[in-house]
Amino acid sequence: MIVNQAYRFALDPNATQMAALASHAGASRKAFNWALGLVKAQMDQRAAEKTYGLTGDRLTASVPWTLPSLRKAWNEAKGDVAPWWAENSKDAAGIRNLVRGLDAWRDSKSGKRKGAKVNFPRFKNKRSETKSCTFTTGVIRVEPDREHVTLPRLDTIRLHESARKLARRLEAGTARILSATVKLDGGRWYVSFSCEVDRQIADHARSDAVLGVDVGITHLAVLSTGDVIDNPRHLAGGAKHLRRLSRRVSRRVGPDRRTGQEASKRWQKTNADRSRAYARVANLRRDGLHKLTSALTADYATIVVEDLNVAGMVRNRKLAKAISDCGFATIRGLLGHKTTWSGGRLVTAGRWFPSSKTCSDCGVVKAKLPLRVRTFECDACGMVLDRDLNAARNLARLVERETGTGVAGDPEPQGFNGREADRRTPLAGQVAVKRPPRPGTVGRQRPTADRELTFAH
Ligand SMILES: [Zn+2]
């Protein structure tokens, strides 16, 4: 199966290369800003002309928002705008990013693009913007020693880590590099290769089982097997160190654009320390999530998760930090990629699927279950189970009913109270039961057809 996959490696550039990397990033930003300026000027001009009643061909012609046209315009203007341009790779033009941004804005405006509204591209700022540059042509390769990479105009740069994972694939002919992006992240330069990879689909250890994953703050994930993955809380763990560094930064003379005050050497040094400390937290988190999702997708072909409204959740100011520290959205993204790569699938339960409020044994849905109640107690069948484990089992059941496969972590077939017949009752789309259950009909609910189920792939 051919998939697109990125490989990211930390670089160890020397001083000259470091300057060249920064120069490329700057050139990319310059071209982006120039082209955006052109697009905006032409839009304003045409808007003004329309107010005079001009229409159609009588309006000023504008450059089409495509990569070839905007690049042509840039090539004609770059001699005046950026006389130093020849020092950098011609690929440094960040116009591809602008075209992508303009397309996204146009599609979002016309309703062609789903999801959150996309704003019109903004000018990139030297101070706040991430420094990066993408190469698509020229010499891009991993050297045979696997310790160096060669990039256009940047020459051969030493890697901070071995590139063996990608090199093995390149040597075997199962990967092809499409582009390379260099990026400054937390004070360190990285290169990420976007590749086309021919992946072998390995057999899953438990190909017949469905795994439900309930993510949360108390535990990072509770699996329907009953396994609990603790929340490592990397940010909270580094909080003391970060607080001390931030205090130190604030006591030193930082830059001030109003007074023209330049940052002191001591401020720059401490600020770099702080950036590195934050980058370490992010690296630890990313590493943990990669390991977790790789392990899950290697074992299970079908994984079910909830569709969490993370953007809405972080609006709760008391929980925002703890939620962001978990990386819920990253878990889902990684599971999506990795299930596809391993020939499995990720199923997302609808946002209103009552995974926590439903009894995973008899299927009765509770009317209310406050967040502080950590144990699920079923009023109908009397089942008592950890709240998150109950939710994870309900998620797994969602697919099990679709496909008739076994659920990972299913208890022994006799079930609770010996009522085997009730065990396969559909869960979703049920109404809450408020009245006390009548004897004889305990926990028996009529199945309904509408079910919120979306398949990611
Ligand atoms: Zn029950």
Side-chain angles (χ1 to χ4, degrees), residues 358-365 376-384 390 416-417 419 442-443:
T358 309
C359 171
S360 64
D361 188 45
C362 67
V364 168
V365 184
F376 183 92
E377 285 173 33
C378 182
D379 304 329
C381 71
M383 185 196 72
V384 178
N390 181 53
F416 290 85
N417 307 336
R419 284 181 300 98
V442 170

Side-chain angles (χ1 to χ4, degrees), residues 41-112:
Q42 288 178 344
M43 280 174 83
D44 291 347
Q45 174 71 23
R46 286 165 71 92
E49 285 170 3
K50 276 177 191 162
T51 62
Y52 303 143
L54 295 182
T55 48
D57 289 346
R58 294 170 66 200
L59 291 169
T60 305
S62 68
V63 177
W65 293 357
T66 60
L67 183 57
S69 336
L70 281 170
R71 192 141 64 185
K72 187 162 168 261
W74 165 247
N75 283 334
E76 281 162 11
K78 71 187 178 188
D80 299 329
V81 183
W84 41 265
W85 184 258
E87 290 167 25
N88 296 311
S89 160
K90 63 174 186 294
D91 236 356
I95 290 171
R96 188 176 293 106
N97 294 339
L98 175 66
V99 172
R100 200 183 295 162
L102 290 169
D103 283 348
W105 171 74
R106 197 157 42 184
D107 290 349
S108 177
K109 210 173 153 212
S110 67
K112 221 163 86 184

